[in-house]
Structure formats: C-alpha cells, structure tokens
C-alpha cells in the first residue's frame, strides 16, 4: 500500500506559526488532504490540494506541495489554543481510496 | 441533514462474540468506507463501497464483513471478535467524484476482552 509519513509531535507557542510536514510515496495521488481531529471526535476536513497545484491558502492555513519530492506541508499562522489537536495528512489515489499518515499531535502552549 | 451517524458510541465485547457497527448517511453519497484508528498508526481502510450493491476490501479487511443494500447504510460486521480488533472505528462518506466533501462519523470505540 501507499505510505504516508509525518512526525508524531509538535509543540508551538501561542501566536507563533506551526508547520506540519508530510511525505508520501504514491506518485499517482490526485488529491492530498489535511484533517484535524480533536479529542473524542471524528476527523474534520481542514483543506485539500489538487496534485497539480503548488500552494493553496485558506485564511490562516497555507498548504505547500512539492510534487517532485512528494512533500506536503501545512502552515497554521497565529496558532491558537483551539488549534491543539491531531492533524492527519492523507492522499487519495485514482480509485478514491484514502491513505492516512499516523497523525501529528500539535500542542499549543501559552 | 444529520450527516454521518454511527452507533453505538462505545461497545465492550468478549472474545468470540459477534456484533454489527452501524453507519448511516443522509446526503445521498455514493462512496462510503470504514476505517479503524489505532495509536501511532493513523487510519487504516477496512472496507469501502462505491455504491449500493458494491463493496470491496481495503487494507485490513480480515475479520470484518460489510454489505451495502441501500445508499444510506453501510454496516460493519465483526464475525468473531478478537482483542486485536480493539480500536476506534470511523465511517466516512463522500460524493464519489468530489474531492472536497469527505465526511466522517463520530466514531465507535470498541473494546474486545
């Protein structure tokens, strides 16, 4: 199967920017996603990027895609305490299946 | 719309018991899927369906059965529960050809003793 890897933990000070990185292996990925999971809840789609794009910005969120290196990142500007959660990177192949990374636990400290 | 609903929220089983996790969506989505979430492993696809009457295996299908007799419902059956199936189970749905509308249910936390 496809491999999606991301670092497991990130600690950031409130007000700073957070950057969460992800690498994937499937070169046929059509879409790449970032999901947020708060404690005890399901996954919430934050943003996604089509594989022929380099960057997508949505308010405080910026997604960068380096297709050559198969590297995806999510930048959260002005990180707030409400941003504390687990963030999952996922890729979607041509047959619509999603492959997820293990998730990055983001802790925002005052 | 209620979105994607899952029942029960919590369940404890003994080894060897069988049960069905329910999943329903009221958005007329073609694509539905089941994932399990384990610590440090992200979500792994168990089974999926691209429409009523069509199901296929995902990454970790062993020990689970599914059926899709209607567009709305996609139940997951554990035939003979094992401790290795202790996990949080998520159901998801989407319109098949849409990239930006993936909806997840709230999850079912299953413990097998």
């Amino acid at each position: 199967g496809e491999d999606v890897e991301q670092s497991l933990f990130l600690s950031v000070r409130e007000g700073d920017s957070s950057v969460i990185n992800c690498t994937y292996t499937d070169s046929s990925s059509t879409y790449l996603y970032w999901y947020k999971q708060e404690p005890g809840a399901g996954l919430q789609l934050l943003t996604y990027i089509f594989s022929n794009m380099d960057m997508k910005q949505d308010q405080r969120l910026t997604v960068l895609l380096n297709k050559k290196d198969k590297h995806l990142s999510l930048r959260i500007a002005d990180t707030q305490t409400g941003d504390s959660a687990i963030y999952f990177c996922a890729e979607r192949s041509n047959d619509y299946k999603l492959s997820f990374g293990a998730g990055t636990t983001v802790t925002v400290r005052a | 719309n209620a979105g994607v609903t899952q029942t029960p929220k919590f369940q404890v089983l003994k080894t060897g018991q069988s049960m069905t996790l329910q999943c329903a969506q009221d958005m007329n989505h073609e694509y539905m899927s089941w994932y399990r979430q384990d610590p440090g492993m992200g979500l792994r696809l168990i089974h999926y369906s691209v429409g009523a009457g069509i199901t296929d295996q995902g990454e970790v299908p062993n020990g689970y059965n599914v059926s899709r007799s209607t567009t709305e419902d996609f139940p997951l059956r554990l035939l003979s529960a094992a401790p290795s199936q202790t996990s949080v189970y998520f159901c998801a749905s989407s319109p098949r050809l849409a990239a930006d509308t993936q909806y997840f249910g709230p999850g079912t936390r299953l413990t097998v003793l």
Side-chain angles (χ1 to χ4, degrees), chain A residues 33 35 37 48 92 96-97, chain B residues 37 48 97-100 102:
Chain A
Y33 301 86
Y35 286 86
Q37 184 182 36
Y48 70 98
R92 174 170 153 170
Y96 306 102
K97 294 182 203 175
Chain B
Q37 182 181 26
Y48 67 101
L97 298 180
D100 60 344
Q102 305 268 350

Side-chain angles (χ1 to χ4, degrees), chain A residues 46-47 56-63 74-77:
Chain A
L46 276 181
T47 187
K56 180 177 181 180
Q57 187 155 2
D58 183 3
Q59 298 181 336
R60 293 192 297 121
L61 305 179
T62 303
V63 179
L74 174 69
R75 178 178 179 269
I76 305 173

Side-chain angles (χ1 to χ4, degrees), chain A residues 31 33 35 37 40-43 45 48 88 92 95-98 100-102, chain B residues 31 35 37 40-43 45 48 90 96-100 102 104-106:
Chain A
Y31 291 92
Y33 301 86
Y35 286 86
Q37 184 182 36
L43 274 70
L45 179 64
Y48 70 98
F88 291 93
R92 174 170 153 170
D95 60 359
Y96 306 102
K97 294 182 203 175
L98 290 178
F100 286 84
Chain B
Y31 190 91
Y35 295 86
Q37 182 181 26
M41 299 187 73
L43 276 76
L45 182 65
Y48 67 101
F90 288 101
R96 185 176 179 186
L97 298 180
D100 60 344
Q102 305 268 350
F104 278 80

Side-chain angles (χ1 to χ4, degrees), chain A residues 24 32 34 47-67 71-75:
Chain A
Y24 61 98
L32 295 122
W34 284 104
T47 187
Y48 70 98
I49 188 168
F50 188 47
S51 58
N52 69 353
M53 297 170 63
D54 298 324
M55 186 184 85
K56 180 177 181 180
Q57 187 155 2
D58 183 3
Q59 298 181 336
R60 293 192 297 121
L61 305 179
T62 303
V63 179
L64 295 177
L65 175 61
N66 181 329
K67 196 172 182 183
H71 182 267
L72 183 74
S73 68
L74 174 69
R75 178 178 179 269

